Amino acid sequence: MADGAFGLSEELARETAPVWEKVKGLVTPLEWPEQAKLISEINALKKERDAVILAHNYMTPEIFHGVGDYVGDSLGLAKEAAKSKAKVIVQAGVHFMAETSKILSPEKTVLIPDLRAGCSLASSITGADVRLIKQRYPGLPVVTYVNTTADVKAETDICCTSANAVQVVEWAAKEWGVDKVILIPDEFLARNVAAQTNVGIIAWKGRCEVHERFTAEDIAEMRAAYPGAEILAHPECPEEVLAASDFAGSTAAMIDYVVDRKPKQVVMITECSMASNVKGDVAGVDFIGPCNLCPHMKRITLENIRDCLKYMQFEVTVEPDMAERGRLAVQRMIDLPPPAIPARYDLIKAKHHVDVELI
Ligand code: SF4
């Protein structure tokens, strides 16, 4: 029997062999026959529906490697979707990502396989909250992390990602001629950005439930257990976690770090599927825990992606005026030149514990 066949028909084993090569060791041989059938079914439905699947870095490996047409972080996915000629976008990710895709591709049908796939960060703030913040701090620009709902983006001057947040904050301060900027909703991202800039930061108390749980003790334990391992952390983690790590950056920056440097042993302080998915693409690197699962991302499965395409469910729409205002904020960010040096939160350890004004 060929590697990856596991009782599959010769044709199905051949069709799914490239995926098996990437996911073997990440999925069990017991799961594979059912997953292989679903992958084949989904790929046929994509052609039938003229659809593409955007798979976030936090999707499980059988989705990420098996059916994702575009893989990456939320903004990268939305930008790819806007360029695609397909009529239908399936967002294998959470609801705010589907909204961002709809904002950037209003003419396309955007589907999400499970409407309950939310986000603790996105649900920490509403458009009404942002309007109140603007009343309290008139004249200050509002910079919003892309991990927000469409109604929050609509109240925003410019969006940012964890990779360009410092650049965007400095641009906004200069453009508005002010020395303070509102950066919402992630408190830890705001604190980590504040440590890299002289622009004052007003922040909101939103948290990513996956990254807020990591502690400096986790890092100390990993160092003791694996003295040679390189530790990479996401800037949605508390600042003491970043200070104890070797490198901190966005999901894309972490992937680049592993691909370019090929460390012998690496710890990725982020959502669990990140390490599994990079593992499928990089040989010879030993990935070690700890990691935390995002329960919202894990609502997306091969089964509900199949059903989503079969029954054209569940459509995500954004009210046109809201979409138009949100698009301005996202487009403003896209139009900025890429940062000369991507945000490297590990370079600012000495300045950690910078005060931010929390709303
Ligand atoms: S990992 Fe955090 S920011 Fe991303 S969807 Fe889950 S809760 Fe939201």
Side-chain angles (χ1 to χ4, degrees):
M1 193 195 299
D3 190 16
F6 303 109
L8 301 177
S9 71
E10 212 173 294
E11 197 189 341
L12 188 53
R14 202 178 323 112
E15 183 192 330
T16 53
V19 182
W20 172 248
E21 267 315 299
K22 298 217 163 187
V23 302
K24 65 181 179 188
L26 302 172
V27 305
T28 67
L30 211 62
E31 297 167 299
W32 179 243
E34 187 53 29
Q35 290 175 340
K37 280 184 213 149
L38 284 164
I39 288 169
S40 171
E41 214 179 320
I42 290 167
N43 286 333
L45 281 163
K46 279 198 287 193
K47 282 195 196 121
E48 198 182 301
R49 300 289 195 194
D50 190 13
V52 287
I53 296 181
L54 309 184
H56 189 265
N57 289 326
Y58 295 164
M59 289 292 106
T60 49
E62 69 279 6
I63 295 175
F64 187 89
H65 293 295
V67 297
D69 295 291
Y70 301 106
V71 294
D73 59 16
S74 62
L75 189 72
L77 293 179
K79 281 177 8 191
E80 287 302 331
K83 281 190 242 157
S84 155
K85 298 226 175 344
K87 286 195 192 120
V88 177
I89 293 170
V90 174
Q91 194 81 40
V94 296
H95 196 270
F96 77 79
M97 297 177 182
E99 283 189 334
T100 310
S101 294
K102 185 67 186 176
I103 284 174
L104 289 180
S105 300
E107 73 294 351
K108 292 177 185 154
T109 302
V110 176
L111 304 175
I112 190 159
D114 188 328
L115 278 170
R116 295 168 303 171
C119 167
S120 66
L121 200 46
S123 61
S124 73
I125 192 162
T126 64
D129 292 326
V130 185
R131 286 193 289 278
L132 287 174
I133 294 170
K134 289 198 280 195
Q135 278 174 22
R136 184 158 154 192
Y137 299 97
L140 292 190
V142 178
V143 178
T144 296
Y145 196 26
V146 283
N147 297 26
T148 44
T149 55
D151 73 324
V152 168
K153 286 190 177 77
E155 299 296 336
T156 292
D157 293 305
I158 181 166
C159 285
C160 74
T161 67
S162 53
N164 65 15
V166 178
Q167 182 205 17
V168 171
V169 159
E170 292 187 344
W171 175 87
K174 198 167 163 208
E175 196 71 11
W176 267 252
V178 291
D179 59 4
K180 266 189 186 177
V181 162
I182 298 159
L183 174 58
I184 47 178
D186 188 328
E187 175 189 345
F188 291 133
L189 180 73
R191 288 187 185 281
N192 290 320
V193 167
Q196 286 194 84
T197 179
N198 292 324
V199 177
I201 301 290
I202 295 164
W204 183 256
K205 228 175 167 167
R207 305 259 180 103
C208 161
E209 68 188 79
V210 172
H211 293 100
E212 72 168 339
R213 280 187 279 148
F214 291 108
T215 63
E217 289 74 49
D218 292 335
I219 311 291
E221 279 168 21
M222 291 313 289
R223 290 234 186 264
Y226 303 95
E230 295 179 37
I231 301 181
L232 322 184
H234 193 279
E236 289 168 14
C237 295
E239 59 258 54
E240 59 273 16
V241 170
L242 268 63
S245 302
D246 297 307
F247 175 86
S250 61
T251 53
M254 281 199 251
I255 293 171
D256 289 348
Y257 183 102
V258 175
V259 171
D260 294 347
R261 300 208 200 179
K262 299 211 172 43
K264 262 195 177 151
Q265 282 190 320
V266 72
V267 181
M268 282 186 158
I269 302 293
T270 184
E271 212 276 343
C272 298
S273 292
M274 260 283 286
S276 306
N277 293 330
V278 189
K279 211 186 276 183
D281 285 328
V282 190
V285 179
D286 183 14
F287 291 85
I288 306 161
C291 63
N292 290 330
L293 276 174
C294 174
H296 311 289
M297 291 280 184
K298 290 328 180 238
R299 286 197 181 275
I300 309 300
T301 62
L302 284 176
E303 284 86 353
N304 60 26
I305 292 175
R306 187 265 321 270
D307 290 347
C308 163
L309 281 165
K310 200 168 172 181
Y311 305 114
M312 292 298 281
Q313 64 190 25
F314 299 92
E315 185 169 2
V316 174
T317 56
V318 179
E319 191 263 309
D321 174 58
M322 187 184 284
E324 183 55 38
R325 288 186 292 137
R327 188 156 45 249
L328 282 177
V330 178
Q331 197 59 47
R332 226 179 215 159
M333 169 186 68
I334 293 173
D335 291 343
L336 284 186
I341 306 169
R344 284 278 307 275
Y345 299 90
D346 56 322
L347 298 176
I348 37 93
K349 289 179 187 174
K351 281 183 73 185
H352 260 292
H353 306 294
V354 169
D355 280 337
V356 302
E357 194 176 324
L358 263 189
I359 304 165

